[in-house]
Amino acid sequence: MQLTTAARSHGHAVLRDPHLNRGTAFTHSERAALGLDGLLPPAVQSLADQAWRTYQQYRAQPTVLAKNTFLAALHDRNRVLYFKLLEDHLKELLPVVYAPGVADAIQRYSHEFQRPHGVYLSVDDPDGVERALRNYGLGPEDVDLLVATDAEQILGIGDWGANGMVISIGKLAIYTAAAGIDPARVIPVMLDVGTDRESLLNDPLYVGSRHRRVRGDRYDALVSTFVESASRQFPHALLHFEDFGPSNARRILRRYQRSARVFNDDLQGTGAVALAAVLAGLRAIGSHPSEQRVVIFGAGTAGVGIADQVRALMIRAGLDADEATRRVWCIDRDGLLVDDMPALRDYQRAYARPAREVAGWGTGGVIGLAEVVARVHPTILVGTSTAGGAFTRPILRELATHVDRPIILPLSNPTERIEVVPADAIAWTDGRALVATGTPWDPVSHGGTEHVIAQANNALVYPGIGLGTIVARAEAVTDGMLLAAAEAMAALVDAGQPGAGLLPPVEELRTMSVAVAVAVARQALRDGVAHAELPDIPQAVLDAMWHASYRPLDVR
């Protein structure tokens, strides 16, 4: 008898291993070879049969949290069946596995905790980082991807400490469902540096470190040890950073992006998907990147990440760096960024307007969104503020007075934090706005046209970026690779058709991921950062993609 390397367990150990377990799909010969006789009901069922039954069980769950919990349990029991369900119903399940439904699961993580996942690294034990990564049991050639979070700034719900492990797990699930990253070759990581959320610190069931969030040298030492240890132990793996706070996200990315294979989805993924929507919109209205005036409401990690990529697009289109920067106006909670603001963050400084330029603007020392829109006449308005309803009717009416086809991207989530609901954005601009949102919305009918509302979800782009980086064995994720990803996605839609969406629909995620991965790998070669030999890039991408199926076991 010969088994695949992964199938050397026996009896109950096989059923307890989610990578090996296939439940009632084990054939009679496999049951005999693996010591499963009598441990399963007698019927032998196909993966399709199992998926149909499991989907009915899923549909019977009464709430989004219950659905998320059901899927998490399935993930822990049978990894292939879990991903089969996601592949078959990705559009329906994506908002449950990830934003916006995952917010409930994060908040309830410590109370619903059943079994550990991934690697938990503590700021209180930096010397244990290398040992913890080694204890996961995968070797240098066995890992393609690690997703790590410190959970300081999750979605629109803020700091959730060790509960944020759900984010790393959810991101990896989308990597697999959308881009075929092998789930046996990934590691979710929680960088536990404490939490400032009082409800967690006072909760006896909280599973994380029970102290305030550590900052400064001790924090940096943990991140540094993680990056160095992970890069050394898994030399071909991409390190994906997720939901770091605004004071750390950009700083950490800048520190390591030339020395390690790192990617920050909140900065680079958000920027790429927003840029794709912008590119599709500009193509639809026949406008040039160098002609745009961009207002970004919400100058945090995501907003500045979008600003960076829009600016890079303008520079590529022929503007010099200073002129491109001057065409982007960023607004934070204290108003328009101005260079004499005392609380200006380092990553915001590039977009701060000279105080002399805006002298006389604003009331009470604050230059708000309404005044910026009235003075700037933006062609593109982006929302990453989590300030629900901030794009009011007067603001959008003013916008539409000066711009024929404005591009409006209210990207905040969860849903209740969106800056404007799509129906209002379209109605208040007399049906002229091109709209994409961060959460899913039904089409909007206006003036006899049905407007498809594209979802500018990072899941449309980051799986393909990751896959392309892995296939190319790129030593870095370059700005050129990010722009290539955005251009590849924008090329998949024709937003010039009446009511067409600015981005492809979520159900086409696999197709999108292939197109993005091919473009990213090709650009990695052009940028000189690829270490793989790729005579046929599309075929290499397709060959690298894992699919949810039960592999044959050699039981001779």
Side-chain angles (χ1 to χ4, degrees):
M1 178 188 72
Q2 283 186 313
L3 303 178
T4 61
T5 302
R8 290 174 180 166
S9 299
H10 196 75
H12 276 296
V14 175
L15 302 180
R16 288 193 294 265
D17 186 333
H19 291 290
L20 298 181
N21 181 33
R22 54 186 68 180
T24 56
F26 279 116
T27 65
H28 292 302
S29 59
E30 289 169 347
R31 297 180 192 201
L34 294 169
L36 299 176
D37 286 337
L39 302 185
L40 291 165
V44 175
Q45 298 176 314
S46 68
L47 177 58
D49 292 334
Q50 291 178 315
W52 184 86
R53 177 175 60 227
T54 305
Y55 182 59
Q56 304 312 310
Q57 294 169 343
Y58 166 84
R59 293 289 299 274
Q61 303 306 308
T63 66
V64 171
L65 178 59
K67 286 179 166 65
N68 184 283
T69 302
F70 174 85
L71 291 172
L74 177 61
H75 178 269
D76 289 346
R77 185 174 72 250
N78 184 330
R79 209 58 58 88
V80 169
L81 181 55
Y82 170 82
F83 284 111
K84 174 65 173 172
L85 206 64
L86 256 62
E87 286 182 13
D88 289 350
H89 307 281
L90 188 54
K91 181 180 180 180
E92 179 182 353
L93 271 60
L94 181 62
V96 176
V97 172
Y98 201 63
V102 75
D104 289 341
I106 292 165
Q107 294 171 69
R108 293 290 303 169
Y109 179 71
S110 289
H111 285 251
E112 302 292 335
F113 185 85
Q114 296 185 30
R115 62 179 295 177
H117 301 86
V119 175
Y120 300 78
L121 306 178
S122 173
V123 72
D124 302 316
D125 183 23
D127 293 338
V129 168
E130 186 147 355
R131 181 174 64 253
L133 291 171
R134 189 167 56 249
N135 286 345
Y136 198 71
L138 295 178
E141 301 297 323
D142 299 335
V143 179
D144 293 324
L145 176 65
L146 299 91
V147 172
T149 185
D150 75 352
E152 183 175 6
Q153 194 63 47
I154 296 177
L155 302 173
I157 61 175
D159 174 5
W160 281 90
N163 287 18
M165 177 58 96
V166 179
I167 283 291
S168 294
I169 296 167
K171 280 285 183 178
L172 287 171
I174 305 305
Y175 264 116
T176 297
I181 305 297
D182 188 338
R185 297 178 58 84
V186 303
I187 304 177
V189 177
M190 178 67 225
L191 299 175
D192 188 350
V193 298
T195 178
D196 289 333
R197 186 171 291 276
E198 291 287 348
S199 61
L200 294 180
L201 294 173
N202 295 325
D203 185 349
L205 296 183
Y206 178 55
V207 298
S209 299
R210 200 176 297 276
H211 57 65
R212 294 284 179 184
R213 188 169 281 273
V214 171
R215 305 183 189 278
D217 291 344
R218 288 180 61 204
Y219 175 92
D220 287 348
L222 177 66
V223 174
S224 177
T225 303
F226 164 66
V227 172
E228 292 169 8
S229 297
S231 299
R232 182 170 54 253
Q233 291 194 47
F234 313 116
H236 307 303
L238 174 66
L239 309 184
H240 171 133
F241 292 132
E242 186 70 27
D243 288 335
F244 283 62
S247 64
N248 290 317
R250 185 183 180 93
R251 179 177 65 86
I252 290 171
L253 178 63
R254 292 290 180 255
R255 178 174 178 180
Y256 295 107
Q257 66 182 157
R258 296 189 183 279
S259 60
R261 190 179 289 102
V262 296
F263 170 76
N264 185 300
D265 187 44
D266 304 297
L267 283 164
Q268 297 167 300
T270 301
V273 75
L275 187 60
V278 167
L279 286 166
L282 295 182
R283 187 178 296 123
I285 61 181
S287 188
H288 195 267
S290 63
E291 300 169 344
Q292 306 314 306
R293 299 177 300 278
V294 184
V295 169
I296 297 177
F297 184 61
T301 303
V304 174
I306 293 170
D308 287 346
Q309 294 203 36
V310 170
R311 179 176 62 175
L313 174 67
M314 291 179 177
I315 292 170
R316 180 168 171 170
L319 295 182
D320 64 43
D322 288 342
E323 176 60 22
T325 303
R326 287 195 296 270
R327 287 184 167 270
V328 180
W329 287 259
C330 292
I331 304 170
D332 206 1
R333 61 171 57 89
D334 296 323
L336 179 68
L337 299 185
V338 180
D339 61 9
D340 63 356
M341 280 181 166
L344 204 62
R345 295 181 183 272
D346 58 347
Y347 63 87
Q348 297 173 328
R349 291 191 180 279
Y351 298 100
R353 315 302 293 194
R356 64 182 180 278
E357 175 191 324
V358 296
W361 292 28
T363 57
V366 176
I367 304 172
L369 175 63
E371 180 157 11
V372 173
V373 169
R375 290 181 179 270
V376 171
H377 303 158
T379 57
I380 300 169
L381 178 61
V382 180
T384 53
S385 67
T386 70
F391 294 175
T392 62
R393 187 179 190 277
I395 287 173
L396 294 194
R397 294 296 292 172
E398 173 69 21
L399 176 72
T401 299
H402 304 282
V403 179
D404 184 46
R405 299 295 308 277
I407 297 172
I408 301 176
L409 309 178
L411 303 180
S412 290
N413 58 62
T415 303
E416 62 270 16
R417 295 181 182 269
I418 193 170
E419 287 80 7
V420 62
V421 300
D424 288 342
I426 289 171
W428 295 342
T429 60
D430 302 318
R432 293 182 280 121
L434 296 164
V435 179
T437 60
T439 52
W441 290 85
D442 291 333
V444 172
S445 293
H446 181 89
T449 298
E450 186 173 78
H451 298 261
V452 174
I453 308 302
Q455 184 185 358
N457 189 318
N458 289 21
L460 301 182
V461 65
Y462 76 78
I465 293 174
L467 178 59
T469 302
I470 291 165
V471 168
R473 289 211 164 180
E475 64 188 38
V477 179
T478 66
D479 290 343
M481 291 159 68
L482 299 174
L483 181 56
E487 290 175 334
M489 191 187 311
L492 295 174
V493 296
D494 180 3
Q497 298 299 314
L502 290 175
L503 296 166
V506 169
E507 53 264 38
E508 295 178 10
L509 258 177
R510 279 248 165 178
T511 300
M512 276 185 281
S513 293
V514 171
V516 169
V518 168
V520 166
R522 186 169 285 134
Q523 188 64 42
L525 287 168
R526 292 194 190 105
D527 290 346
V529 296
H531 290 275
E533 293 185 9
L534 300 172
D536 186 340
I537 293 176
Q539 191 60 51
V541 167
L542 293 172
D543 290 345
M545 296 177 73
W546 181 92
H547 294 272
S549 62
Y550 292 133
R551 272 58 170 177
L553 295 176
D554 188 348
V555 293
R556 290 176 294 176

